[in-house]
Amino acid sequence: MVDFYDPNSAGSEENSSTALKDLGTPLVEAKEQVNLTIDGRSITVPKGTSVMRAAALLNITIPKLCASDNLESFGSCRLCAVEIEGRRGMPASCTTPAEQDMQVCTQNTKIARLRKNIMELYISDHPLDCLTCPSNGDCELQDMAGAVGLREVRYGFDGENHLDAAKDKSNPYFTFEPSKCIVCSRCVRACEEVQGTFALTVDGRGFDSKISTGMDNDFLSSDCVSCGACVQACPTSTLMENKVIEQGLPERSVTTTCAYCGVGCSFEAQMKGEEVIRMVPAKDGQANHGHSCVKGRFAFGYATHQDRITTPMIRDNIDQPWQEVSWEEAIGFAAKKLKGIQAKYGKDSIGGITSSRCTNEETYLVQKMIRAAFGNNNTDTCARVCHSPTGFGLKATMGESAGTQTFDSVMKADTVMVIGANPTDAHPVFASLLKKRLRQGANLIIADPREIDLGNSPHVKLNHHLPLRPGTNVAFINAMAHVIVDEGLEDKAFIDQRCQLEAYQQWRTFISDIRHAPENTQDITGIDAEELRQAARLYATVNNGAIYYGLGVTEHSQGSSMVMGIANLALLTGNIGREGVGVNPLRGQNNVQGSCDMGSFPHELPGYQHVGNDELRTKFEDHWQVAIDNEPGLRIPNMFDAAIDGSFKGLYCQGEDIAQSDPNTHHVEAALTSLECLVVQDIFLNETAKFAHVFLPGSSFLEKDGTFTNAERRINRVRKVMTPLAGKADWEATMALSNALGYEMNYQHPSEIMDEIAQLTPTFTGVSYKKLEQLGSIQWPCNDNNPIGTPTMHMEDFPIGKATFALTEYVATNERANRKFPLLLTTGRILSQYNVGAQTRRTENQSWHDQDILEIHPHDAEERGIEDGDNLGISSRAGNTVLAAKITERMQPGVVYTTFHHPESGANVVTTDNSDWATNCPEYKVTAVQVEKVSAPSKWQQRQKDFSSQQENFLPRKRKGKAQFSWANK
Amino acid sequence: MTTKYHSIIKMSNQIADNIGLHLSKEQAADKVVNHIQLFWAKSMKNNLIKYFQEDGAQLGSITKRAVEKLMAKAEQ
């Protein structure tokens, strides 16, 4: 990919014109500066910067093929040769560091002849079908041939060549066409340096060199994770997106933010008209710096999948077919029903769930509608089932419900401890950055019942894998803290200056007790005492220790305690308040952080302001012109209980599939069937919608303006690239419902909603769309104290002044393996599918993972006579289901694992109602199960299949001519 | 009756088990009350009180004390 030559901006010295340009080699940071002259013009650059990059900063474009500024220089194509005063020959400018007083000449007759000769050699073994090549107009080889003035190839074309090389079309998203390859090895280096997977190599030498995915395999069967970094790096058409091959080059580009995970990659949505041709990671994306994963880059097709429902539908009960109606009628129907329920059962008998996929503005409106129009605080969001303990635990210890760093901070870490997270699968772009740091030599500790891919990454040394038994987290973290205190490794100065001393002393007495020693917790956690001691020392004795954690920490009955335990550890060792350290919750969804920030919780208004705090609440009441209930409302699991109890009868559920993602499916289904009015606003008929009475068609991230907030607290713009298929963006639908319920909302544009948020939320006062345009993205808090945002938190003090230590006694979960259920089931995610799979199952990502499987250790399998591929019945006290088996040693004996991406798997039929004591976050990670060979699907699976089939048949017959664009019918 | 209150009993006992560590029964009960007031919906609080009044057998001692305090506050 390349920048187009734009005569209008050529010759301009402005920095902004170089901002997105490929500067050839990476940025070098150094204190010392050097000044050099290139083609008579002077520039000062950090020492270590290449001559090529220095020239590019002067807007002098030296021809290049193998160089790219996201990769270390390689020096293989030799096209970038220059002449340097006082030096022999013509060195490559990409591998030559700039030096003080250097005089460089980038263009003269001698250099020109060399460059022509080089191009001539390249073109002698290259197809000459430019006009019909997918790269036509976007090819660096074309550009270089033009730049060097190539006019003939004196070798002729009759010699040996690679023009017959076979295409590899195994990957569903891109094609590998080796006949076009110039072996610049940018793809190989991108896979190594940017992605860290090392799936590619150059096979053979000299003329026989070719890019290879390994012996006897192709892209799909290799280690390739389809991140597309190679496709992006490729200067020719060798690696090319299939959509560009089919449809041609895009004509315009809009910058937006990915709607998959909490990394929140910035993308250029490259369009033809209103169709997205390809998503190219934005180079200036502060979270991703030009990289992405298979989902964000390639799996956007779901937005225009034929399953998209684009017309509102209603029905009186769920045994009836759906009736397509107008927006007005659907909204009116919903409003009338909801009001009717309140009249009959009371104000608190309805509630809503905000979406962690929708924008900040949309979430804000949903919780506002619930508080103002419903008149209660029965609002909650999916963070309930993932990171609500993070909110509780970090607020309690440090005063703010969010992670403390940027992603880039990992590059300064000396020891990284990953607890209960699987970043290569769930936060791939961050994991690539982490792997880069680990390859540089940082230490790695992984605490996880399974072996995760991060520990097996190429050139990454895993110092300690602590394979703890599910449910024993707090015992583990207490042991770590005990070792640090016991061996005198704490950061006394930090504790004195920044922590509440009385609380610390109390905690210190608690943690010093011998019961927390690793020797005494060994039997509980299964972690070898000496190994744990070494790990603790490795974290405590380096300059910068950083902890990254995920749902393996929070989705437990002591999730909140574990978060506090992690915070305790970071405070104990002074690993807070600068780069390279911190407590980093890996927030899952694209806007789950945002949804929490926007007041989706039943007890907190936007900005985590408690509803019971009169001063804070009246601020909202005054602005919204309505009274707000001063007591907390129902959380999602409480809503289910109340529904079954008969006191909760109506639910507005936006962009959340509780029927698939929440635990204890029998319980959820019972709750949903007892509702008198379930309104689902979503883009597909998901599992929850099958129980609904009103279906309001939602809009994908491509169809609206707004903002998402990622795991770094980074607020990023989402920009509309196509008209909403259903005619309304989600925020417009919520507004309509609120108006129909009698609470007026009249926003013309999401920026107005953000302005209102800024007025009411102290951590957001400086945020506006104008500022977002200027800065690109903003990490909150952004206010008078922090006018351009806050990359690193708690640098000088904590929101509560000094941080506190929490006493976290280990309390074993009720969910214990016993004779009837001797194994423990834990759950997780995989790279190619995303959460409930509603989006990714409707893309070609199905090629990688089209069913959930149960991973089991060979020992447990042997005991039960299980072989790979066998159908296994998994049963718990909550229910049972059937999955195919995979025997693997990355599990430990006694622990089995599955994913939850496919509704028919019924993974949540098996999970229980156990939850975190403080937040009711479900204990997905510990379920006592028995596993045995079976021959038929479970009863639930059979029922689900029949029910799904019935509900899908209830959808109106349509499709022919209904969709707006013909390509949407693919 | 136990099925209806099953959730409430479990949740309230669990809070007491986790939040009241290393404290006297009174202090622990205060902390439980505080937590419930910060995070529980009205209907849940009412249900807990109702259960305590009707039976309360499955509540731990700290939990029971906490409910008494909740009832006292409710009357204020």
Side-chain angles (χ1 to χ4, degrees):
Chain A
M1 240 89 68
V2 83
D3 315 286
F4 301 101
Y5 171 71
D6 178 2
N8 290 327
S9 63
S12 151
E13 303 280 293
E14 275 177 35
N15 277 338
S16 59
S17 70
T18 59
L20 295 178
K21 209 171 118 162
D22 185 343
L23 300 171
T25 56
L27 175 72
V28 172
E29 280 171 354
K31 289 205 183 71
E32 202 183 323
Q33 304 279 310
V34 296
N35 182 273
L36 70 158
T37 308
I38 305 177
D39 291 347
R41 286 149 64 195
S42 166
I43 187 167
T44 306
V45 290
K47 187 171 169 161
T49 305
S50 72
V51 169
M52 176 186 275
R53 190 182 172 96
L57 288 167
L58 279 169
N59 268 311
I60 296 170
T61 309
I62 301 175
K64 65 176 181 67
L65 278 173
C66 72
S68 171
D69 68 5
N70 63 340
L71 302 172
E72 295 299 326
S73 60
F74 199 59
S76 74
C77 73
R78 314 312 293 180
L79 210 57
C80 66
V82 293
E83 283 203 305
I84 299 176
E85 180 79 31
R87 297 195 189 188
R88 287 184 309 157
M90 287 181 277
S93 57
C94 65
T95 47
T96 306
E99 285 181 38
Q100 184 64 30
D101 299 329
M102 202 183 238
Q103 309 249 33
V104 180
C105 169
T106 72
Q107 301 277 1
N108 63 31
T109 328
K110 208 164 139 208
I111 298 173
R113 202 170 63 226
L114 173 65
R115 290 189 186 147
K116 242 191 230 181
N117 289 348
I118 294 170
M119 278 312 297
E120 208 174 6
L121 283 165
Y122 272 118
I123 302 302
S124 72
D125 184 13
H126 195 86
L128 292 180
D129 59 352
C130 282
L131 288 181
T132 49
C133 175
S135 238
N136 190 9
D138 183 24
C139 176
E140 290 188 54
L141 192 65
Q142 254 182 358
D143 293 342
M144 293 305 109
V148 309
L150 185 71
R151 298 289 167 256
E152 57 175 352
V153 176
R154 291 164 295 170
Y155 304 104
F157 297 95
D158 294 332
E160 263 189 80
N161 60 45
H162 295 97
L163 301 185
D164 288 333
K167 285 189 204 182
D168 174 352
K169 297 175 82 162
S170 60
N171 185 298
Y173 295 118
F174 60 86
T175 298
F176 172 49
E177 195 175 347
S179 63
K180 308 253 165 107
C181 181
I182 58 171
V183 199
C184 67
S185 76
R186 272 160 61 161
C187 56
V188 176
R189 289 146 54 210
C191 192
E192 290 179 1
E193 295 172 37
V194 177
Q195 169 56 26
T197 295
F198 290 70
L200 299 174
T201 187
V202 179
D203 192 19
R205 292 181 295 171
F207 184 72
D208 294 327
S209 303
K210 57 182 208 273
I211 303 296
S212 165
T213 53
M215 289 181 68
D216 300 330
N217 62 23
D218 52 24
F219 263 96
L220 195 63
S221 53
S222 71
D223 288 339
C224 167
V225 292
S226 196
C227 71
C230 59
V231 179
Q232 187 173 337
C234 181
T236 65
S237 165
T238 307
L239 286 161
M240 196 69 175
E241 296 94 343
N242 287 341
K243 275 202 103 168
V244 175
I245 296 175
E246 288 154 26
Q247 295 177 258
L249 290 172
E251 45 96 4
R252 69 186 177 105
S253 171
V254 179
T255 305
T256 187
T257 305
C258 184
Y260 276 115
C261 84
V263 173
C265 296
S266 299
F267 277 96
E268 284 176 33
Q270 295 189 349
M271 323 279 303
K272 257 173 132 68
E274 285 210 323
E275 186 183 351
V276 176
I277 299 297
R278 63 182 171 191
M279 297 287 274
V280 177
K283 184 171 167 185
D284 56 348
Q286 298 291 314
N288 61 321
H289 303 300
H291 189 42
S292 75
C293 79
V294 58
K295 300 189 288 289
R297 190 193 290 265
F298 293 122
F300 54 86
Y302 70 87
T304 47
H305 192 272
Q306 62 183 7
D307 283 354
R308 278 294 296 272
I309 299 185
T310 54
T311 316
M313 308 186 297
I314 60 176
R315 58 183 179 179
D316 282 313
N317 70 59
I318 71 175
D319 295 326
Q320 291 172 346
W322 288 103
Q323 227 190 309
E324 281 182 335
V325 294
S326 67
W327 271 103
E328 252 186 276
E329 203 180 328
I331 296 278
F333 180 84
K336 186 161 169 229
K337 274 209 143 182
L338 291 170
K339 281 272 186 234
I341 289 170
Q342 282 185 307
K344 189 168 168 196
Y345 298 98
K347 196 158 58 87
D348 293 335
S349 62
I350 61 176
I353 299 177
T354 78
S355 176
S356 300
R357 306 305 193 71
C358 292
T359 62
N360 286 324
E361 295 76 4
E362 287 167 341
T363 320
Y364 176 81
L365 284 195
V366 174
Q367 62 87 36
K368 182 176 181 184
M369 177 184 73
I370 292 167
R371 299 192 208 272
F374 289 13
N376 59 47
N377 287 327
N378 293 339
T379 164
D380 205 2
T381 183
C382 91
R384 179 65 45 205
V385 305
C386 65
H387 269 284
S388 50
T390 292
F392 180 89
L394 295 185
K395 192 163 191 187
T397 46
M398 296 196 282
E400 193 60 84
S401 309
T404 59
Q405 319 289 121
T406 57
F407 290 137
D408 286 348
S409 150
V410 75
M411 297 310 284
K412 303 216 165 105
D414 300 309
T415 292
V416 172
M417 181 152 62
V418 175
I419 310 177
N422 186 11
T424 50
D425 286 47
H427 294 83
V429 171
F430 166 68
S432 291
L433 196 62
L434 168 58
K435 284 187 288 190
K436 196 171 197 168
R437 178 67 190 134
L438 294 173
R439 288 195 302 272
Q440 286 174 356
N443 302 313
L444 178 62
I445 304 167
I446 295 177
D448 198 295
R450 304 185 303 151
E451 276 180 25
I452 57 172
D453 285 343
L454 182 67
N456 285 331
S457 296
H459 302 288
V460 163
K461 178 178 174 207
L462 172 59
N463 297 74
H464 299 286
H465 175 216
L466 308 174
L468 70 178
R469 289 203 34 95
T472 60
N473 290 348
V474 175
F476 151 66
I477 207 79
N478 284 347
M480 294 284 279
H482 175 94
V483 170
I484 294 172
V485 167
D486 187 45
E487 298 187 10
L489 301 174
E490 73 272 25
D491 185 335
K492 298 184 181 66
F494 181 87
I495 296 166
D496 274 338
Q497 284 163 20
R498 306 287 310 268
C499 304
Q500 293 173 31
L501 286 181
E502 200 189 311
Y504 171 65
Q505 285 305 333
Q506 218 188 10
W507 177 84
R508 199 195 157 90
T509 313
F510 157 76
I511 206 72
S512 304
D513 189 285
I514 200 79
R515 72 178 181 283
H516 300 299
E519 292 72 20
N520 292 327
T521 53
Q522 205 165 230
D523 287 340
I524 300 171
T525 61
I527 303 173
D528 174 72
E530 181 52 32
E531 178 117 46
L532 192 150
R533 279 195 181 267
Q534 287 178 15
R537 287 171 205 144
L538 195 59
Y539 173 72
T541 53
V542 296
N543 283 337
N544 290 344
I547 300 178
Y548 292 85
Y549 73 90
L551 306 185
V553 159
T554 55
E555 289 177 351
H556 285 270
S557 57
Q558 278 201 299
S560 294
S561 309
M562 182 58 178
V563 172
M564 295 195 285
I566 288 175
N568 286 345
L569 207 64
L571 292 166
L572 180 67
T573 51
N575 277 316
I576 292 280
R578 60 185 187 282
E579 288 197 282
V581 299
V583 175
N584 299 274
L586 292 170
R587 309 290 311 233
Q589 306 229 34
N590 56 309
N591 203 31
V592 65
Q593 177 69 52
S595 140
C596 297
D597 299 340
M598 291 298 110
S600 300
F601 287 143
H603 65 292
E604 279 171 339
L605 290 154
Y608 306 102
Q609 305 181 81
H610 200 281
V611 295
N613 181 316
D614 293 332
E615 193 189 325
L616 297 175
R617 191 188 64 259
T618 47
K619 184 177 58 170
F620 285 85
E621 289 177 326
D622 289 340
H623 198 285
W624 293 357
Q625 294 288 294
V626 75
I628 300 173
D629 193 335
N630 65 353
E631 283 189 78
L634 294 166
R635 302 157 169 166
I636 296 174
N638 311 140
M639 289 180 196
F640 297 152
D641 289 340
I644 291 173
D645 199 30
S647 58
F648 187 80
K649 288 298 197 181
L651 183 66
Y652 170 72
C653 182
Q654 181 183 85
E656 178 68 13
D657 196 1
I658 43 187
Q660 187 176 342
S661 63
D662 280 43
N664 197 357
T665 308
H666 287 305
H667 189 72
V668 178
E669 287 178 352
L672 292 176
T673 42
S674 55
L675 294 175
E676 285 182 13
C677 180
L678 174 59
V679 181
V680 167
Q681 185 169 328
D682 213 299
I683 56 179
F684 299 117
L685 189 80
N686 59 19
E687 301 311 296
T688 308
K690 294 172 183 167
F691 295 89
H693 307 93
V694 181
F695 187 93
L696 301 176
S699 54
S700 73
F701 74 115
L702 298 171
E703 298 158 65
K704 55 193 159 186
D705 282 307
T707 55
F708 290 151
T709 306
N710 75 354
E712 293 172 303
R713 296 165 282 110
R714 186 183 300 280
I715 305 166
N716 239 323
R717 274 303 311 277
V718 175
R719 290 191 178 85
K720 186 165 150 184
V721 307
M722 60 194 205
T723 315
L725 298 194
K728 280 194 203 288
D730 286 306
W731 60 275
E732 292 174 303
T734 306
M735 236 172 46
L737 182 59
S738 183
N739 284 324
L741 287 166
Y743 180 77
E744 205 188 305
M745 286 191 187
N746 200 5
Y747 305 96
Q748 301 303 314
H749 189 271
S751 60
E752 290 174 24
I753 304 172
M754 181 51 84
D755 290 338
E756 181 176 315
I757 295 166
Q759 280 177 32
L760 295 166
T761 316
T763 42
F764 275 67
T765 48
V767 180
S768 68
Y769 276 38
K770 185 159 159 218
K771 203 179 238 179
L772 284 166
E773 294 290 330
Q774 285 167 358
L775 299 175
S777 65
I778 301 172
Q779 282 176 275
W780 66 260
C782 174
N783 44 32
D784 291 335
N785 287 341
N786 311 278
I788 55 167
T790 315
T792 308
M793 292 196 65
H794 314 308
M795 291 184 78
E796 271 144 38
D797 59 9
F798 295 93
I800 49 173
K802 294 192 175 186
T804 186
F805 284 75
L807 298 181
T808 54
E809 189 73 68
Y810 168 63
V811 177
T813 168
N814 287 337
E815 195 65 22
R816 264 166 270 196
N818 53 45
R819 196 111 50 111
K820 191 165 177 204
F821 303 115
L823 303 172
L824 289 178
L825 169 73
T826 189
T827 56
R829 290 158 171 78
I830 207 168
L831 170 65
S832 52
Q833 295 282 6
Y834 184 69
N835 283 359
V836 296
Q839 297 155 287
T840 45
R841 277 181 287 114
R842 293 178 170 96
T843 68
E844 305 275 12
N845 280 17
Q846 288 282 85
S847 319
W848 282 279
H849 183 89
D850 65 358
Q851 58 168 328
D852 297 320
I853 50 178
L854 189 83
E855 293 185 25
I856 183 168
H857 188 272
H859 171 82
D860 295 325
E862 201 186 307
E863 273 197 337
R864 294 163 174 77
I866 292 170
E867 288 175 22
D868 246 6
D870 279 348
N871 284 324
L872 301 179
I874 304 116
S875 49
S876 75
R877 59 184 174 84
N880 62 70
T881 193
V882 175
L883 293 170
K886 177 169 168 197
I887 300 176
T888 166
E889 285 206 340
R890 71 169 181 168
M891 298 311 302
Q892 50 171 284
V895 182
V896 293
Y897 167 88
T898 191
T899 49
F900 63 107
H901 303 302
H902 299 266
E904 56 274 12
S905 311
N908 279 320
V909 175
V910 173
T911 51
T912 69
D913 62 347
N914 276 0
S915 67
D916 171 55
W917 65 269
T919 62
N920 282 157
C921 181
E923 192 170 48
Y924 288 110
K925 303 302 183 184
V926 191
T927 309
V929 295
Q930 175 59 288
V931 166
E932 60 206 340
K933 275 166 70 161
V934 297
S935 54
S938 74
K939 286 206 185 71
W940 178 87
Q941 282 171 308
Q942 199 47 56
R943 269 200 329 265
Q944 192 262 356
K945 194 163 163 216
D946 293 339
F947 179 65
S948 279
S949 186
Q950 177 205 42
Q951 290 297 327
E952 267 150 37
N953 283 331
F954 283 157
L955 286 174
R957 291 273 144 259
K958 50 177 186 153
R959 308 305 160 201
K960 283 219 162 28
K962 253 293 171 113
Q964 207 171 342
F965 309 105
S966 59
W967 41 264
N969 282 326
K970 273 197 214 125
Chain B
M1 184 172 75
T2 21
T3 341
K4 175 181 155 95
Y5 295 115
H6 165 77
S7 238
I8 292 285
I9 295 164
K10 186 170 172 179
M11 290 194 291
S12 54
N13 281 339
Q14 199 185 4
I15 295 171
D17 284 341
N18 275 277
I19 209 173
L21 306 159
H22 314 280
L23 297 173
S24 72
K25 184 161 148 185
E26 281 304 297
Q27 288 172 324
D30 280 334
K31 282 198 109 173
V32 174
V33 168
N34 184 258
H35 186 91
I36 287 179
Q37 286 185 318
L38 282 176
F39 298 108
W40 276 32
K42 267 190 300 281
S43 56
M44 289 163 64
K45 290 184 269 220
N46 290 340
N47 274 342
L48 182 61
I49 291 174
K50 247 175 89 185
Y51 172 67
F52 177 70
Q53 286 171 328
E54 285 174 21
D55 179 358
Q58 290 185 49
L59 298 177
S61 65
I62 295 175
T63 319
K64 281 196 178 124
R65 187 73 196 98
V67 183
E68 283 168 5
K69 288 180 187 263
L70 265 179
M71 286 165 68
K73 283 195 191 250
E75 270 151 41
Q76 280 168 3

